[in-house]
């Protein structure tokens, strides 16, 4: 059985984890924005900008950790831009988000083109290397599947419980969740809604940018055109799939990544007699099916998409 | 009345208290555009005192309290709390100073637990952890002291309206407020919940909490407050100890003229125009029977009142009669014709008019203009719709202006969005839209909920006029006074069942109250 062979190979599971890494970062980023009441459709562009700026930092001689921080800063700035339109001015979150995506991705390509006008193949950098966790990585099967990844991949999995803790166990997380549920309640308890939402969007956007950067400085070693390739939109869907819960977001990211890793292997095995496009399509079709099953009963944050303006007649 | 319009400076003396007030507001003025919402308002408050702020919708009560709590900034005037001035403050400053507010529309997050809702804003945002168990203990202590109880772990969406209000009060108590503002706290409560709330407020006041309660319900104000301050048109028009005034004096101060609610005169009813025969409705999800074997008849020239504590099937009854819900069993007859699948559109064309329970969500489209809203029941009819398709805007506007005039809807012009109207004027607009068609049956669901005395009288006389012209009216209401004044016959609903009809004349609230608690199956007359 071909399919069974794929499922029991450690490399399939390792690939799933590797592919999930950018999705986890970006999905959590989108989740934070939406939990605070702001849809961030700038995600696709912010991931592109993160991928570009992380790579650029290393290409210019910076270190890898600095690259992650630089990408996060670029993402936070784009988040601030998104927030200043959607939160401070209360403009349409859809339109602004798509505008940010167009701006950020075009700007990223533009900068690359300006820096390297002549290059035909994108220059490579030295990305994060796999680190084998002592002892655990020598376990049969599990060692290769789970404990031989780049530091950024491990970080992605660590970020999930951190975000859960922040959202559910800290005063700031509570303020963020209420900003997305009933901003008037926040105001009535003396907390500035605009500030909470703006910070949430900036934090979320920083995570998205790290997700993008993980492609250029962890999964691959160069910046390609069209490299985000719709991953941002998948993350928007994953947030709904996850019913706005970080734990389920991790599950969704792994599910999608697993389907992606699976389809690549199916292509290799059955590509001769089934067109490869069919396999490319598979994860997306199955995501839609999963969405229909899981997300029908999803409870939106009540104030998602609703701008809050202070001092308006209540 | 002159003797009651004491100026605020001497009100402290009038209240018989030589202790300095803990809160004094003086000379507050606030304008929204050209509208003066508050004009030179002064007010004072002492420890343990319950002051009622009384006035019609739009008199400026809520605006004043929003200024006090820091949602709005006053254009001029000063506020002094606990001996120190409060200037250009935010809600945060107000809370720090010990002023809490329970808003009319609750400021709770439905998907979060009671504890989360209460803890919000009580800890530094940058604290890396929440002290939940400490908060839980403290909250339990507060609940025990105040004698109020809610399940602090359940999400707010599972609570009843009364419980949500208790959460709002707890939120304020948790922050050690010493002045509590309650904006229309009884608007959404059942009579039993109102009683519970008043007991709670009294006991909190006796332990030193000062309370300002905003209301336009006279009997409640008389029952709960120590002192009343009456606002009209943004100005203080009366300030008196509650014990020294009676209901009529207050009503006159509020409206500025004597108001009498109209009564119906008995007259024989005509022919049956609307009837339900053995109608049963089951809940779509749970298949529980929510309307059980209902027999109901409405004849021309009569008003049939439906009494009952809210949530006993009145809402389902209203959606059956307005075509939003098709009965599972039984017959629905309109003008002697059995309707198999009634739709709102069909019912409207057959002469049914509806005054929905929630005028904001079901009655109007708030963002659209007055004249557009007046068209909603007559889509595709001459002369406004030429050939039934093309909107003749000029005729529509003219017709709207005429209706606005006729029904005395106070507004700038017909282009104004309906959402900006006060509740009373919005209701008059809905009545105008419905009554202009000269309907044969009117379904009036809570037609005066949330309206002030003046608007209530207008709505009542419009309904009585319609009845005298020959309409049959089904009046669903929780206001017993309204029910008894207007109804020719009364039916009572309890737990999805309906009592036999009782003649309206000579019926007492006590008799009704007994039936409202379900005692009608055996002794129905």
């Amino acid at each position: 059985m071909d399919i069974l062979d794929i499922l029991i190979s450690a490399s399939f599971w390792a690939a799933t984890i590797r592919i999930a890494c950018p999705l986890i970062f970006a999905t959590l980023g989108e989740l934070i924005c939406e939990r605070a009441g702001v849809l961030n459709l700038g995600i696709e562009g912010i991931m592109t900008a993160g991928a570009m700026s992380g790579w650029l930092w290393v290409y210019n001689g910076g270190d890898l950790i600095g690259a992650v921080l630089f990408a996060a800063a670029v993402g936070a700035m784009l988040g601030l831009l998104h927030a200043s339109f959607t939160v401070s001015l209360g403009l349409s979150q859809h339109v602004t988000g798509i505008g940010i995506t167009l701006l950020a991705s075009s700007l990223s390509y533009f900068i690359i083109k300006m820096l390297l006008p002549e290059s035909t193949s994108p220059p490579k950098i030295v990305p994060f290397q796999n680190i084998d966790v002592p002892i655990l990585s020598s376990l049969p099967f599990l060692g290769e599947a789970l404990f031989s990844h780049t530091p950024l991949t491990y970080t992605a999995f660590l970020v999930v419980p951190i975000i859960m803790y922040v959202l559910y166990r800290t005063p700031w997380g509570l303020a963020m969740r209420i900003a997305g549920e009933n901003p008037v309640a926040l105001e009535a308890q003396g907390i500035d809604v605009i500030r909470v939402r703006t910070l949430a969007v900036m934090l979320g956007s920083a995570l998205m940018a790290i997700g993008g950067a993980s492609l250029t400085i962890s999964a691959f070693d160069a910046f390609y055109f069209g490299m985000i390739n719709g991953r941002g939109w998948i993350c928007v869907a994953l947030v709904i799939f996850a019913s706005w819960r970080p734990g389920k977001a991790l599950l969704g990211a792994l599910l999608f990544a697993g389907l992606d890793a699976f389809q690549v292997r199916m292509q290799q095995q059955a590509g001769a007699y089934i067109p490869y496009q069919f396999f490319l399509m598979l994860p997306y079709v199955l995501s839609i099916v999963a969405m229909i099953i899981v997300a029908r009963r999803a409870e939106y944050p009540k104030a998602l998409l609703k701008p809050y303006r202070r001092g308006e007649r209540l | 009345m002159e003797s009651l319009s004491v100026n605020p400076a001497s009100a402290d003396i009038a209240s018989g208290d030589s202790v300095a007030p803990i809160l004094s507001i003086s000379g507050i003025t606030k304008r929204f555009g050209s509208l003066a919402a508050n004009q030179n308002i002064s007010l004072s408050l002492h420890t343990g005192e319950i002051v009622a702020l009384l006035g019609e919708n739009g008199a400026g009560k809520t605006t004043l309290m929003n200024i006090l709590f820091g949602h709005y900034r006053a254009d001029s005037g000063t506020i002094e709390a606990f001996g120190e001035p409060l200037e250009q403050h935010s809600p945060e400053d107000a809370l720090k100073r010990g002023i809490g507010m329970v808003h009319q529309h609750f400021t709770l997050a439905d998907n979060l637990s009671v504890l989360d809702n209460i803890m919000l804003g009580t800890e530094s945002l940058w604290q890396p952890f929440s002290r939940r168990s400490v908060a839980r203990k403290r909250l339990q202590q507060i609940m025990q002291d105040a004698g109020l109880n809610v399940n602090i772990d359940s999400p707010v969406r599972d609570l009843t309206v009364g419980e949500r209000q208790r959460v709002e009060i707890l939120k304020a108590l948790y922050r050690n407020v010493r002045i509590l503002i309650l904006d229309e706290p009884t608007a959404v409560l059942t009579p039993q919940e109102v009683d519970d709330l008043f007991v709670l407020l009294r006991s909190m006041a006796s332990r030193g909490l000062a309370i300002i309660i905003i209301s336009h319900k006279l009997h409640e104000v008389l029952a709960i407050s120590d002192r009343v301050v009456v606002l009209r048109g943004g100005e203080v028009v009366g300030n008196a100890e509650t014990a020294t005034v009676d209901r009529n004096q207050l009503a006159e101060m509020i409206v500025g003229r004597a108001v009498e609610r109209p009564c119906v005169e008995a007259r024989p009813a005509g022919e049956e125009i609307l009837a339900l025969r053995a109608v049963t409705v089951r809940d779509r999800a749970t298949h529980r029977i929510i309307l059980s074997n209902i027999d109901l008849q409405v004849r021309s020239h009569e008003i049939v009142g439906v009494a009952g504590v809210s949530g006993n099937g009145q809402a389902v009854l209203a959606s059956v009669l307005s075509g939003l819900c098709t009965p599972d069993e039984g017959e629905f007859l309109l003008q002697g014709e059995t309707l198999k699948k009634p739709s709102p559109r069909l019912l409207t064309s057959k002469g049914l008019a509806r005054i929905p329970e929630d005028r904001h969500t079901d009655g109007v489209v708030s963002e659209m203009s007055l004249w557009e809203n007046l068209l909603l029941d007559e889509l595709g009819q001459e002369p406004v719709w030429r050939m039934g398709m093309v909107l003749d805007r000029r005729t529509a506007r003219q017709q709207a202006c005429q209706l606005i005039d006729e029904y005395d809807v106070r507004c700038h012009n017909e282009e104004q969005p309906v959402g900006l109207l006060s509740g009373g004027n919005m209701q008059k607009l809905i009545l105008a839209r419905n009554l202009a068609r000269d309907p044969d049956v009117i379904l009036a669901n809570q037609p005066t909920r949330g309206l002030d005395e003046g608007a209530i009288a207008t709505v009542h006389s419009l309904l009585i006029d319609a009845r005298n012209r020959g309409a049959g009216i089904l009046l669903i209401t929780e206001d017993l006074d309204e029910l008894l004044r207007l109804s020719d016959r009364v039916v009572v609903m309890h737990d999805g069942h309906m009592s036999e009809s009782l003649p309206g004349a000579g019926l007492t609230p006590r008799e009704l109250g007994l039936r409202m608690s379900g005692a009608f199956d055996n002794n129905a007359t």
Side-chain angles (χ1 to χ4, degrees):
Chain A
M1 275 293 282
D2 291 349
I3 294 177
L4 202 65
D5 285 345
I6 292 172
L7 291 182
I8 60 168
S9 73
S11 78
F12 162 75
W13 292 100
T16 297
I17 301 234
R18 198 167 55 238
I19 297 170
C21 166
L23 298 176
I24 294 170
F25 277 118
T27 306
L28 289 175
E30 182 67 32
L31 185 139
I32 287 175
C33 296
E34 292 190 21
R35 263 299 172 103
V38 183
L39 177 71
N40 192 346
L41 291 184
I43 183 169
E44 183 83 6
I46 293 171
M47 287 179 78
T48 311
M52 189 278 294
S53 47
W55 172 84
L56 191 63
W57 183 271
V58 182
Y59 180 71
N60 282 335
D63 64 332
L64 287 161
I65 304 219
V68 173
L69 297 178
F70 180 59
V74 168
M77 283 304 114
L78 286 166
L80 180 62
L81 186 66
H82 184 64
S84 60
F85 282 112
T86 57
V87 179
S88 310
L89 297 176
L91 301 179
S92 160
Q93 298 180 1
H94 293 103
V95 176
T96 310
I98 289 174
I100 299 276
T101 283
L102 292 174
L103 172 77
S105 40
S106 308
L107 208 58
S108 304
Y109 298 140
F110 176 71
I111 290 170
I112 290 289
K113 212 63 196 157
M114 292 294 286
L115 286 175
L116 310 159
E118 303 300 329
S119 88
T120 44
S121 67
K124 295 192 184 314
I125 53 158
V126 181
F128 279 114
Q129 300 301 310
N130 284 1
I131 292 179
D132 292 344
V133 180
I135 303 163
L136 289 175
S137 62
S138 54
L139 290 172
F141 188 78
L142 283 183
E144 190 192 340
L146 302 180
F147 300 109
S148 179
H149 289 285
T150 66
L152 208 54
T153 310
Y154 296 129
T155 313
F157 284 84
L158 277 179
V159 166
V160 179
I162 293 174
I163 295 292
M164 282 167 94
Y165 180 83
V166 170
L167 269 181
Y168 294 109
R169 285 287 175 270
T170 66
W172 199 68
L174 176 62
M176 233 165 24
R177 283 183 292 145
I178 294 202
E181 285 286 333
N182 186 352
V184 182
L186 210 55
E187 172 87 28
Q189 292 292 69
I191 299 172
D192 189 339
V193 179
I194 306 287
R195 195 180 302 164
V196 170
R197 282 190 164 178
T198 302
L199 285 173
V201 173
M202 288 175 72
L203 173 63
S205 303
L207 283 173
M208 293 170 193
I210 295 176
S214 75
L215 286 170
T216 47
I217 61 173
S218 171
F220 303 101
D221 52 8
F223 178 79
Y224 302 94
F225 283 73
M227 117 175 277
I228 302 301
N229 193 22
R231 282 184 176 83
W233 309 134
I234 284 296
C235 294
V236 175
L238 284 176
V239 172
I240 303 170
F241 173 85
S243 307
W244 291 269
R245 285 170 196 284
K248 283 193 186 169
L250 173 64
L251 201 71
L254 284 172
L255 184 69
F256 183 83
L259 288 168
D260 207 15
F262 182 71
Q263 67 88 10
V264 172
R265 281 156 183 77
M266 281 305 283
Q267 270 187 57
Q268 288 159 0
Q269 298 206 354
Y273 39 94
I274 301 174
Y276 74 94
Q277 288 91 344
F278 177 79
F279 296 107
L280 276 181
M281 179 190 73
L282 264 184
Y284 298 93
V285 172
L286 292 176
S287 306
I288 291 172
V289 172
M291 284 274 290
I292 291 170
I293 296 168
V294 177
R296 259 188 319 181
R297 290 155 47 86
E299 281 201 37
Y300 282 71
K302 283 256 171 58
L304 183 60
L305 296 177
K306 292 196 186 114
Y308 180 78
R309 296 188 185 90
R310 193 164 174 261
E312 228 172 43
R313 294 208 81 158
L314 296 172
Chain B
M1 216 46 49
E2 282 308 305
S3 62
L4 287 169
S5 304
V6 190
N7 80 48
S10 59
D12 299 337
I13 304 152
S15 67
D17 196 339
S18 55
V19 184
I22 53 173
L23 174 76
S24 46
I25 297 175
S26 55
I28 293 285
T29 298
K30 171 78 183 172
R31 294 177 170 279
F32 289 109
S34 60
L35 174 81
N38 282 169
Q39 272 185 59
N40 196 23
I41 292 188
S42 300
L43 183 75
S44 64
L45 189 66
H46 299 80
T47 304
E49 188 180 34
I50 301 183
V51 169
L53 203 53
L54 195 60
E56 293 195 286
N57 296 320
K61 310 177 296 265
T62 301
T63 303
L64 180 66
M65 289 303 110
N66 278 334
I67 289 171
L68 175 57
F69 188 57
H71 281 309
Y72 300 156
R73 297 264 156 86
D75 297 334
S76 62
T78 56
I79 299 171
E80 198 173 282
F82 305 103
E84 279 172 56
L86 201 52
E87 282 166 346
Q88 298 290 308
H89 61 297
S90 65
E92 191 177 2
D93 301 328
L95 282 165
K96 271 192 198 137
R97 200 62 80 74
I99 302 174
M101 179 158 175
V102 175
H103 295 74
Q104 181 178 5
H105 303 287
F106 298 152
T107 58
L108 298 171
D110 287 354
N111 289 336
L112 302 184
S113 74
V114 171
L115 187 63
D116 278 344
N117 269 287
I118 289 171
M119 284 182 70
L120 172 69
T122 59
E123 297 178 305
S124 158
L125 284 187
W126 309 116
Q127 200 171 305
F129 48 81
S130 254
R131 293 198 176 84
R132 294 172 71 84
S133 54
V134 178
R136 179 184 300 272
K137 268 198 207 108
R138 176 140 176 259
L139 195 57
Q140 268 154 354
Q141 187 61 44
I142 292 171
M143 287 203 295
Q144 205 178 357
D145 291 347
L148 58 91
N149 202 3
V150 277
N151 179 1
I152 56 180
D153 290 311
S154 78
V156 167
R157 62 167 178 271
D158 293 344
L159 303 183
T160 66
V161 177
E163 286 172 324
R164 286 175 201 212
Q165 185 163 56
R166 268 172 263 158
V167 175
E168 286 280 10
I169 293 172
L170 273 177
K171 248 163 86 176
L173 295 181
Y174 188 82
R175 298 193 142 211
N176 295 321
V177 303
R178 285 181 288 168
I179 298 173
L180 181 63
I181 307 164
L182 295 148
D183 188 0
E184 305 267 4
T186 62
V188 288
L189 301 185
T190 64
Q192 181 58 39
E193 285 171 331
V194 171
D195 291 344
D196 292 348
L197 173 69
F198 283 1
V199 170
L200 175 66
L201 293 184
R202 266 286 151 229
S203 86
M204 292 195 304
S206 70
R207 273 178 287 122
L209 188 71
I211 297 171
I212 301 179
I213 179 168
I214 299 181
S215 180
H216 59 244
K217 293 185 184 163
L218 293 175
H219 60 278
E220 290 174 359
V221 167
L222 290 167
I224 187 72
S225 67
D226 299 314
R227 198 150 54 84
V228 277
V229 173
V230 184
L231 295 190
R232 187 171 72 231
E235 290 177 272
V236 177
V237 294
N239 187 338
E241 270 186 82
T242 310
T244 64
V245 287
D246 67 17
R247 193 189 160 115
N248 289 337
Q249 286 173 310
L250 281 179
E252 207 171 318
M253 272 200 269
I254 293 170
V255 189
R257 61 192 151 79
V259 185
E260 189 85 19
R261 286 188 179 190
C263 290
V264 285
E265 285 165 32
R267 61 168 298 162
E271 295 185 353
E272 172 186 292
I273 30 179
L274 175 124
L276 295 180
R277 302 238 159 88
V279 163
T280 296
V281 178
R282 286 193 180 77
D283 188 276
R284 291 276 170 276
T286 61
H287 301 287
R288 204 170 59 84
I289 291 181
I290 42 179
L291 215 52
S292 166
N293 202 18
I294 300 285
D295 282 301
L296 176 72
Q297 185 192 41
V298 179
R299 295 169 293 181
S300 63
H301 290 296
E302 83 168 343
I303 299 180
V304 179
V306 179
V309 177
S310 130
N312 274 290
Q314 298 96 318
V316 192
L317 179 69
S319 34
V320 167
L321 291 175
S322 47
L324 296 170
C325 158
T326 310
D328 294 309
E329 288 161 37
E331 275 186 292
F332 180 2
L333 290 96
L334 187 62
Q335 320 264 28
E337 190 186 329
T338 306
L339 303 174
K340 283 268 179 295
K341 198 152 175 39
S343 74
R345 190 98 175 85
L346 177 77
L347 293 172
T348 316
S349 70
K350 286 196 176 300
L352 180 105
R354 292 152 304 170
I355 302 167
E357 179 173 10
D358 185 337
R359 52 182 162 271
H360 295 275
T361 58
D362 303 329
V364 295
V365 186
S366 1
E367 293 79 16
M368 283 166 70
S369 68
L370 264 70
W371 70 267
E372 285 170 312
N373 269 281
L374 282 167
L375 295 178
L376 292 180
D377 281 341
E378 305 192 0
L379 298 176
Q381 273 172 31
E382 303 271 1
V384 169
W385 299 87
R386 266 179 277 154
M387 298 178 296
M389 290 185 294
V390 185
L391 175 61
D392 183 345
R393 299 170 76 93
R394 184 126 66 102
T395 319
R397 282 209 188 89
Q398 269 168 6
Q399 189 179 306
C401 289
Q402 205 183 329
L403 286 175
I404 289 168
D405 248 21
E406 201 176 314
Y407 286 85
D408 188 29
V409 181
R410 310 260 168 88
C411 58
H412 290 300
N413 57 40
E414 76 279 6
E415 293 289 349
Q416 182 187 347
V418 165
L420 297 180
L421 293 181
S422 73
N425 283 312
M426 202 183 278
Q427 196 71 326
K428 280 193 258 179
L429 188 84
I430 292 171
L431 280 161
R433 184 174 79 209
N434 281 292
L435 298 182
R437 290 186 286 128
D438 223 351
D440 301 314
V441 198
I442 301 168
L443 168 66
N445 194 356
Q446 316 287 359
T448 59
R449 178 181 279 177
L451 300 190
D452 53 62
E453 288 291 319
I456 290 174
T458 314
V459 170
H460 284 178
S461 49
L462 284 171
L463 287 177
I464 292 171
D465 286 349
R467 168 230 190 218
N468 291 343
R469 284 202 306 272
I473 299 176
L474 189 75
L475 172 70
I476 302 177
T477 179
E478 280 160 40
D479 181 344
L480 287 187
D481 179 59
E482 168 173 285
L483 186 91
L484 294 171
R485 266 171 206 276
L486 296 187
S487 306
D488 296 294
R489 288 190 294 130
V490 175
V491 292
V492 181
M493 292 200 71
H494 180 261
D495 199 19
H497 296 266
M498 188 181 274
S499 74
E500 306 267 315
S501 80
L502 316 156
L507 204 59
T508 64
R510 216 189 110 68
E511 285 175 278
L512 271 182
L514 218 58
R515 288 182 171 78
M516 279 161 71
S517 56
F520 56 68
D521 287 320
N522 304 322
N523 58 352
T525 44

